Amino acid sequence: MNGIGVNSVENRSLAEQAHHLLETQIITLQLLPGTLLTEKDLAGITGIGRTPVREAVQRLASDGLLRILPRKGLMVTTLRRTDMVNILEARKVLERLMVVKACERATPDQRRSLLIMSGHAETASHDPEALLRLFVRIDELVAAACHNPNLVRALASMHSQCRRLWYMHRDEVDLLQTMQLHAALARMVGEGNGAGAIRALDEIIATLEKLVNRLNELS
């Protein structure tokens, strides 16, 4: 029993590592949309064994970042306008609930962390990859502060797709405005200001909606 438990925990940890590494490569376009791959390729990219990588592949496929092609392998998905419209429609509703609950339920330590991150966002560099890491950290803090794991799971794949959309258009967006909006979101949640948090979130979603309109409709 103990041996099975240890191996299960170890594999789950490696699968999470593989998922994080591959998700990052897809979001930052190191693995471009339409790229054909095999599990062996992904094991080589991550340096992690086939079994954890297979688990990560299943999760990435569920998140809509990879498509499993029977007898052919895997393909990094494209971003389609209709898919992203649907994602943002759902994200807007669910994330409004998340930020309101985060404002209500955040612990004192979580509020302090969010206010600190707000300060970091206001003074961040204009490097897109550094900004992306900062935005991810703010999202993680807000997600933790809402204390609703079901809500967090429902939004996880939507965040991944939106981050890929933002990164794809990183040279076209107003980085200063993006920084300010994320700083405002972190600050409003840290202060427990639900109405302010919703306003900041809605502006972030509106920015993403403009990027969606630039997408071609691909199959």
Side-chain angles (χ1 to χ4, degrees):
M1 292 289 290
N2 287 340
I4 292 172
V6 169
N7 289 335
S8 175
V9 170
E10 182 180 43
N11 286 336
R12 190 158 57 245
S13 177
L14 288 173
E16 288 169 358
Q17 290 177 47
H19 177 269
H20 173 73
L21 290 168
L22 294 172
E23 180 187 52
T24 299
Q25 293 220 351
I26 293 171
I27 288 171
T28 59
L29 306 179
Q30 295 173 68
L31 291 174
L32 290 168
T35 301
L36 295 173
L37 299 155
T38 65
E39 286 183 0
K40 183 178 180 181
D41 294 330
L42 299 183
I45 289 169
T46 60
I48 296 173
R50 295 281 288 275
T51 298
V53 164
R54 188 171 297 119
E55 292 182 40
V57 164
Q58 293 298 323
R59 184 174 164 190
L60 290 164
S62 177
D63 291 345
L65 296 174
L66 283 179
R67 182 181 299 170
I68 299 173
L69 306 173
R71 297 181 297 280
K72 293 182 180 179
L74 309 164
M75 185 181 75
V76 179
T77 59
T78 56
L79 283 174
R80 300 194 307 170
R81 185 185 298 134
T82 51
D83 291 340
M84 291 305 304
V85 167
N86 290 337
I87 284 170
L88 288 176
E89 182 177 77
R91 177 180 168 181
K92 184 183 293 185
V93 174
L94 291 174
E95 198 156 355
R96 281 176 175 172
L97 176 60
M98 175 184 278
V99 299
V100 167
K101 292 305 174 185
C103 287
E104 294 173 356
R105 298 172 177 173
T107 66
D109 283 346
Q110 288 171 330
R111 294 188 192 282
R112 280 192 290 272
S113 295
L114 282 158
L115 292 173
I116 289 169
M117 289 306 298
S118 173
H120 289 334
E122 288 172 343
T123 59
S125 74
H126 286 206
D127 173 54
E129 291 192 16
L131 285 177
L132 186 61
R133 289 193 295 271
L134 183 66
F135 301 157
V136 169
R137 183 57 185 146
I138 290 173
D139 288 341
E140 289 173 344
L141 288 170
V142 173
C146 85
H147 296 279
N148 186 330
N150 293 310
L151 192 53
V152 173
R153 282 194 294 270
L155 281 161
S157 62
M158 300 181 203
H159 280 154
S160 296
Q161 294 285 23
C162 290
R163 288 165 190 157
R164 183 162 62 143
L165 173 71
W166 181 86
Y167 194 86
M168 182 180 290
H169 295 281
R170 64 195 181 280
D171 294 329
E172 306 164 36
V173 297
D174 185 334
L175 296 181
L176 178 59
Q177 181 193 42
T178 307
M179 289 158 52
Q180 291 172 339
L181 290 177
H182 281 80
L185 177 62
R187 185 172 63 257
M188 292 297 101
V189 177
E191 293 175 354
N193 185 337
I198 288 175
R199 284 195 298 271
L201 172 66
D202 285 351
E203 290 190 58
I204 290 170
I205 298 292
T207 299
L208 292 169
E209 287 172 337
K210 291 176 184 177
L211 299 182
V212 167
N213 291 332
R214 302 179 187 182
L215 291 174
N216 293 320
E217 189 56 53
L218 301 172
S219 58

